[in-house]
Coordinates of all heavy atoms in Angstrom, one line a residue:
C57 N 66.9 -100.5 -4.2 CA 67.4 -101.8 -4.0 C 66.3 -102.8 -4.1 O 65.1 -102.5 -4.4 CB 68.1 -102.0 -2.7 SG 67.1 -101.8 -1.2
A58 N 66.5 -104.1 -3.9 CA 65.5 -105.1 -4.0 C 64.9 -105.4 -2.6 O 65.5 -105.0 -1.6 CB 66.1 -106.4 -4.5
G59 N 63.8 -106.0 -2.6 CA 63.1 -106.3 -1.3 C 61.7 -106.8 -1.4 O 61.2 -107.1 -2.5
V60 N 61.0 -106.9 -0.3 CA 59.6 -107.3 -0.3 C 59.0 -106.4 0.8 O 59.5 -106.2 1.9 CB 59.4 -108.8 0.0 CG1 60.0 -109.3 1.3 CG2 57.9 -109.1 -0.1
H61 N 57.8 -105.9 0.5 CA 57.0 -105.0 1.4 C 55.7 -105.8 1.7 O 54.9 -106.2 0.9 CB 56.7 -103.7 0.7 CG 55.8 -102.8 1.5 ND1 54.8 -102.1 0.9 CD2 55.7 -102.6 2.8 CE1 54.2 -101.4 1.8 NE2 54.7 -101.7 3.0
F62 N 55.5 -106.0 3.0 CA 54.3 -106.6 3.5 C 53.5 -105.5 4.2 O 54.1 -104.7 4.9 CB 54.6 -107.7 4.6 CG 55.5 -108.8 4.1 CD1 56.9 -108.8 4.3 CD2 55.0 -109.9 3.5 CE1 57.7 -109.8 3.9 CE2 55.8 -110.9 3.0 CZ 57.1 -110.9 3.2
S63 N 52.2 -105.5 3.9 CA 51.4 -104.5 4.5 C 50.0 -105.1 5.0 O 49.6 -106.1 4.4 CB 51.1 -103.3 3.6 OG 50.5 -103.8 2.4
K64 N 49.4 -104.5 5.9 CA 48.1 -104.9 6.5 C 47.4 -103.7 7.0 O 47.9 -102.9 7.7 CB 48.4 -105.9 7.6 CG 47.1 -106.4 8.3 CD 47.4 -107.3 9.4 CE 46.0 -107.8 10.1 NZ 46.2 -108.7 11.2
S65 N 46.1 -103.6 6.5 CA 45.2 -102.6 7.1 C 44.9 -102.9 8.5 O 44.7 -104.1 8.8 CB 43.9 -102.5 6.2 OG 44.3 -102.0 4.9
H66 N 44.8 -101.9 9.3 CA 44.6 -102.1 10.8 C 43.8 -100.9 11.3 O 44.1 -99.7 10.8 CB 45.9 -102.3 11.5 CG 45.7 -102.8 12.9 ND1 45.4 -102.0 14.0 CD2 45.8 -104.0 13.4 CE1 45.3 -102.7 15.1 NE2 45.5 -104.0 14.8
K67 N 42.9 -101.1 12.2 CA 42.1 -100.0 12.8 C 43.0 -98.9 13.4 O 42.6 -97.7 13.5 CB 41.0 -100.5 13.7 CG 41.6 -101.1 15.0 CD 40.5 -101.6 15.9 CE 41.0 -102.3 17.1 NZ 41.7 -101.5 18.0
D68 N 44.1 -99.3 14.0 CA 45.0 -98.3 14.6 C 46.0 -97.7 13.7 O 46.9 -96.9 14.1 CB 45.8 -99.0 15.8 CG 44.8 -99.4 16.9 OD1 43.8 -98.8 17.0 OD2 45.2 -100.4 17.6
G69 N 46.0 -98.0 12.4 CA 47.0 -97.5 11.4 C 47.6 -98.7 10.7 O 47.8 -99.8 11.2
K70 N 47.9 -98.5 9.4 CA 48.4 -99.5 8.5 C 49.7 -100.1 9.1 O 50.6 -99.3 9.6 CB 48.6 -98.9 7.1 CG 48.9 -100.0 6.1 CD 48.9 -99.4 4.7 CE 49.0 -100.4 3.7 NZ 48.9 -99.8 2.3
M71 N 49.9 -101.4 9.0 CA 51.1 -102.0 9.5 C 52.0 -102.4 8.3 O 51.5 -102.7 7.2 CB 50.8 -103.3 10.2 CG 50.0 -103.1 11.5 SD 49.8 -104.6 12.4 CE 49.5 -104.0 14.0
H72 N 53.3 -102.3 8.5 CA 54.3 -102.5 7.4 C 55.5 -103.4 8.0 O 55.9 -103.2 9.1 CB 54.9 -101.2 6.9 CG 53.9 -100.3 6.4 ND1 53.5 -100.3 5.1 CD2 53.3 -99.2 7.0 CE1 52.6 -99.3 4.9 NE2 52.5 -98.7 6.1
V73 N 55.9 -104.3 7.1 CA 57.2 -105.0 7.3 C 57.9 -105.0 6.0 O 57.3 -105.3 4.9 CB 57.0 -106.4 7.8 CG1 58.3 -107.2 7.8 CG2 56.3 -106.5 9.1
V74 N 59.1 -104.5 5.9 CA 59.9 -104.4 4.7 C 61.2 -105.2 4.9 O 61.9 -105.0 5.9 CB 60.3 -102.9 4.3 CG1 61.2 -102.9 3.2 CG2 59.0 -102.1 4.0
V75 N 61.5 -106.0 4.0 CA 62.7 -106.9 4.0 C 63.6 -106.5 2.9 O 63.2 -106.5 1.7 CB 62.4 -108.4 3.9 CG1 63.6 -109.2 4.0 CG2 61.3 -108.8 5.0
Y76 N 64.9 -106.1 3.2 CA 65.9 -105.8 2.2 C 67.0 -106.9 2.3 O 67.6 -107.1 3.3 CB 66.6 -104.5 2.5 CG 65.8 -103.3 2.5 CD1 66.0 -102.2 3.4 CD2 64.8 -103.1 1.5 CE1 65.2 -101.1 3.3 CE2 64.1 -101.9 1.4 CZ 64.3 -100.9 2.4 OH 63.5 -99.8 2.3
P77 N 67.2 -107.7 1.2 CA 68.4 -108.6 1.2 C 69.6 -107.8 0.8 O 69.6 -106.7 0.2 CB 68.0 -109.5 0.1 CG 67.1 -108.7 -0.9 CD 66.4 -107.7 0.0
S78 N 70.8 -108.3 1.2 CA 72.0 -107.7 0.9 C 73.2 -108.7 0.9 O 73.1 -109.7 1.6 CB 72.3 -106.6 1.9 OG 73.5 -105.9 1.6
T79 N 74.2 -108.3 0.2 CA 75.5 -109.0 0.3 C 76.3 -108.3 1.4 O 75.9 -107.2 1.8 CB 76.2 -109.1 -1.0 OG1 76.4 -107.7 -1.4 CG2 75.4 -109.9 -2.1
Q80 N 77.4 -108.8 1.7 CA 78.3 -108.1 2.7 C 78.7 -106.7 2.2 O 78.6 -105.8 3.0 CB 79.6 -108.9 2.9 CG 80.6 -108.3 3.8 CD 80.3 -108.5 5.3 OE1 79.8 -109.5 5.7 NE2 80.5 -107.5 6.1

Side-chain angles (χ1 to χ4, degrees):
C57 63
V60 59
H61 176 216
F62 301 96
S63 62
K64 177 183 179 179
S65 294
H66 192 278
K67 65 180 177 62
D68 295 334
K70 193 171 187 176
M71 294 182 160
H72 301 273
V73 173
V74 173
V75 181
Y76 297 140
S78 181
T79 59
Q80 179 77 40

